[in-house]
Amino acid sequence: MKISGNTKLTGLLGSPVAHSISPLMHNESFRVLGLDYVYLCFDVKENCLKTAVEGLKACGIRGFNVTMPNKNRIVSLMDHLSPAASLIGAVNTVINDGGVLTGCNTDGVGFMRSAHAAGYDIIGQEMTVLGNGGAATAVCAQAALDGVKRIHIFLRRESTYYDRTEKLAKRLNEETSCEVLLYEQGDVESLQSCILQSAILVNGTPVGMSPDVDHSLIEDSSLLRPGLIVSDLIYEPKETKLLKLARSVGCHTFNGMYMLLYQGAESFRLWTGHMMPVDRIRKMYF
Ligand code: SKM
């Protein structure tokens, strides 16, 4: 990779960011396609976000990804929002067109593409989602926009995001053809009937994530069935307790690793107009 006087800057704003594999994915893709771009990580905490965005904009950055804890706060710094970012209330990709910032959200696209790449067609089908944090919200909004027929979201009433999820459900019901229904996380009877109607079950909570690998929101294998698709947005560990149980029952399973790959591929396309060489990147880093 050569840095020139014309090299366009992209990057990641968040804290922490040192662990991210985004620089590897993007810089290798720029190199392979011969694009004069670079991707760098910037450790930016919430209290510095506005200053950082103004500075990067003044320096003519082409665009950047946004990760924890900045995805919600950055919304108010955008000039425009994509339909998905507006529904989700969070931005993970910013495009800078001559000083005009557009906030997009590619996390949900990442999930939908990872399901498609794994060979599953969930359009027109029902989906059950556990949790309503940032990643789960992005998945639900994109699934509704893409044509999933009905989404059952299980969440805790005392969740800090409860009101936000109620608003999201209302907007998705009004603005898309998808029907979105909310349930209490402990309502096992509803969970059982929703999973039965669903083609796919998604865990969008952190339950089961390393180091708490011995936990799963579903312990009872009779809630699952052979052929059901079960996805965990967690990718560390690669196979969570939920996915292990699902595999033992004969479910199709996939984790959140390729959601990261495909959200990056979509950001890459938005900044450069080129397709990321995803097969190469998957083999090298995933
Ligand atoms: O939404 C993504 C973000 O675009 C990049 C990222 C990373 O590099 O760790 C994680 C997610 O938040």
Side-chain angles (χ1 to χ4, degrees), residues 212-239:
D212 294 319
V213 296
D214 291 333
H215 295 94
S216 168
L217 281 180
I218 293 184
E219 306 265 5
D220 175 2
S221 65
S222 73
L223 290 171
L224 309 174
R225 64 177 188 278
L228 174 74
I229 307 165
V230 180
S231 172
D232 206 319
L233 302 189
I234 294 169
Y235 56 87
E236 187 53 59
K238 286 201 169 100
E239 189 175 56

Side-chain angles (χ1 to χ4, degrees), residues 12 19-22 65-68 71 92 107 260 263:
L12 174 66
H19 64 280
S20 169
I21 66 164
S22 290
N65 283 133
V66 184
T67 193
M68 300 301 285
K71 287 185 176 185
N92 86 321
D107 287 327
L260 187 67
Q263 64 75 37

Side-chain angles (χ1 to χ4, degrees), residues 2 25 37 39 42 51 94 125 163 169 201 252 269:
K2 279 197 214 106
M25 286 166 53
Y37 284 77
Y39 186 105
F42 300 98
T51 317
V94 177
Q125 313 241 43
D163 290 351
L201 166 70
H252 305 295
R269 190 187 68 79

Side-chain angles (χ1 to χ4, degrees), residues 9-13 38-42 61 63-66 92 271:
L9 177 63
T10 61
L12 174 66
L13 268 63
V38 67
Y39 186 105
L40 299 175
C41 280
F42 300 98
I61 193 166
F64 52 92
N65 283 133
V66 184
N92 86 321
W271 298 323

